[in-house]
Amino acid sequence: MGVASSTNDVVSTPARTRGITRRQALAAAVATGVGVGVVRLLGGSMEQIAALKTGATTDWISPLQAESARVMQLLRRTSFGYTPSHLEAALSDGFNKTVDRLIETPPALPPALAIASTPGGRFPVQQLQQWWIDHMLTTPTPFAERMTLFWHGHFTSDYRKTADDTFMYWQNLTWRRMALTDLRSMLMKVTADPAMLRYLDLATSTGQNPNENYSRELMELFTMGAGNYTEDDVREGAKALAGWQPPQPDSIATVTVDKKNNVTRRLPVYSSQKEGVFNQRRAYTGSVTFLGKTGPLDTQGVIDRILAQPATAPFIANKLVQHFVTARPSAGYIKGLGDTFRRSKYDMKTLMRAIFTSPEFVSEKSYRSLVKTPTEFMVHSAQALGLTSLTKLITGSGSGMGQSLFDPPDVNGWPSNEAWISSNTVVERVNFATAALGQVKGSLPSVSEAVHRHLDGVLSPQTSTLLNQTADDRARWFVVLASPEFQLK
């Protein structure tokens, strides 16, 4: 099933010191019974990942000349790990047919979140996080969830400033539906999204007093990148975008928010998903000059001007390539994808198919060139162990690794690739592996099969030696989950 490789097939690299403490490493080692060898393993995790930046030789060779390895890399990067049945189906279909199926299969929708109708969206964000993780663990269309996570980090909002978890829930539903449509439609949706209206202050923007936050981030972070617009464009765009407001609720409920002092508040109640509304009375009615065009301009006109800019298509292509292919793509690769994207009228399916079928996706340099996000690592661990009951553990562990869903650090979203790895976050990943294994009741899946199914059977000498020296299945599973090979995709 996997691509077998002996330790004779890999290239060793000199050891380098990293900043993880021996005490932290030994604590994890004792918990799993691996012993002091885990110190070398953890040092190796950071050493191998650091090698991605420098282009240094790694302790393995790419197996991507084999079709099975290409299929498994595709699944690792388009899902959160995979079950044996998902893998068997993909191997049977082959690489190209699997690409088509991933892109063309409509997303399976998660079950409705009943508490979303809570007045004012005042329910714990942990319930929203658990709802999404539950779906990641059980969905028959994991690629839809991977794309939803990508857009969640690109068109960023957080539950704190939004101050209504119902709005965050709606935004999640929107990105699942819109993930593989077209950029023009997506930009209209994000502009009218209730969570975004609050997060970037467009809801407070009027023609007489325009707020520039959304106008700036729409160009800098969402579509074009810094250096491709002027401060005048920010100001003029803010005028043209002014007038949007959050949706009107279906009803108002009086809720006691402080029982001790008998304090009540009147909070909105929504029975179904709604979009923001445009209030012409709050809009700007004059002429603007935006990205080289002068005249009356509405929201659609702003978006059309952005899509007409040469920077937009390669900017989006680059973000997706860094997420799915390589952290350092060549300029020529991005230009070609951008040209394809623009010619398709910004069709996302066309762009994703071009990315997955490009030679760069299965090149030797692409192999294990990306670092799993904390969510990917934790959900993949659960899938590998055959556990769909780790939702609460995953929810509680994300913040220590740097990724708490619905709560990105700032408007830039989360970092990527090597930025996920530090002494502290590696220890948190090890702690998660320990806790996950502690929840396994009964026998564990075969470690040998896991090595081939999830790691292509390609191990560094260090990981291979640790596995061979460890007899206990639980400890051997710890080696797999804590290995640099498992942290990468």
Side-chain angles (χ1 to χ4, degrees), residues 154 218-226 228 310-320 334 338 341:
H154 180 77
L218 176 63
M219 290 184 284
E220 180 172 334
L221 297 180
F222 296 169
T223 58
M224 293 164 53
N228 293 299
T312 302
F315 179 82
I316 298 295
N318 186 60
K319 287 290 290 287
L320 284 158
I334 295 303
F341 192 31

Side-chain angles (χ1 to χ4, degrees), residues 295-359:
L297 206 63
D298 60 7
T299 299
Q300 189 65 75
V302 167
I303 290 171
D304 286 343
R305 288 303 300 154
I306 288 173
L307 295 179
Q309 304 309 303
T312 302
F315 179 82
I316 298 295
N318 186 60
K319 287 290 290 287
L320 284 158
V321 164
Q322 289 184 334
H323 197 77
F324 287 99
V325 185
T326 176
R328 282 163 287 279
S330 70
Y333 181 37
I334 295 303
K335 182 183 183 302
L337 290 172
D339 291 344
T340 297
F341 192 31
R342 188 182 298 107
R343 285 195 301 268
S344 73
K345 297 182 179 180
Y346 293 95
D347 177 65
M348 291 306 308
K349 287 184 177 181
T350 298
L351 177 57
M352 296 312 299
R353 183 175 277 106
I355 288 172
F356 294 145
T357 59
S358 66

Side-chain angles (χ1 to χ4, degrees), residues 236-314:
E236 296 291 278
K239 293 177 184 177
L241 291 164
W244 287 97
Q245 292 179 289
Q248 294 298 308
D250 296 298
S251 62
I252 300 292
T254 300
V255 177
T256 301
V257 295
D258 183 347
K259 293 182 179 179
K260 182 178 180 180
N261 297 304
N262 196 29
V263 177
T264 62
R265 287 184 61 188
R266 289 170 56 80
L267 298 174
V269 179
Y270 299 94
S271 59
S272 60
Q273 184 173 359
K274 301 179 185 298
E275 294 184 357
V277 294
F278 190 79
N279 185 344
Q280 188 63 47
R281 291 176 297 178
R282 292 165 55 90
Y284 183 78
T285 57
S287 177
V288 300
T289 300
F290 179 70
L291 293 175
K293 182 176 181 179
T294 301
L297 206 63
D298 60 7
T299 299
Q300 189 65 75
V302 167
I303 290 171
D304 286 343
R305 288 303 300 154
I306 288 173
L307 295 179
Q309 304 309 303
T312 302

Side-chain angles (χ1 to χ4, degrees), residues 188-250:
M188 280 300 294
K189 286 289 185 184
V190 74
T191 302
D193 177 75
M196 185 63 73
L197 287 175
R198 286 190 178 175
Y199 182 66
L200 287 179
D201 305 306
L202 191 57
T204 67
S205 188
T206 68
Q208 290 187 330
N209 187 24
N211 185 293
E212 297 176 3
N213 287 352
Y214 182 72
S215 176
R216 181 182 305 279
E217 307 308 353
L218 176 63
M219 290 184 284
E220 180 172 334
L221 297 180
F222 296 169
T223 58
M224 293 164 53
N228 293 299
Y229 61 89
T230 67
E231 288 301 307
D232 285 340
D233 291 324
V234 173
R235 287 188 285 271
E236 296 291 278
K239 293 177 184 177
L241 291 164
W244 287 97
Q245 292 179 289
Q248 294 298 308
D250 296 298

Side-chain angles (χ1 to χ4, degrees), residues 387-426:
L387 294 176
T388 58
S389 58
L390 295 184
T391 299
K392 288 186 178 180
L393 176 62
I394 293 171
T395 301
S397 302
S399 60
M401 300 180 205
Q403 187 174 43
S404 184
L405 298 177
F406 302 100
D407 192 19
D410 53 43
V411 71
N412 293 282
W414 286 286
S416 62
N417 294 309
E418 300 96 334
W420 288 118
I421 300 299
S422 68
S423 298
N424 289 335
T425 57
V426 168

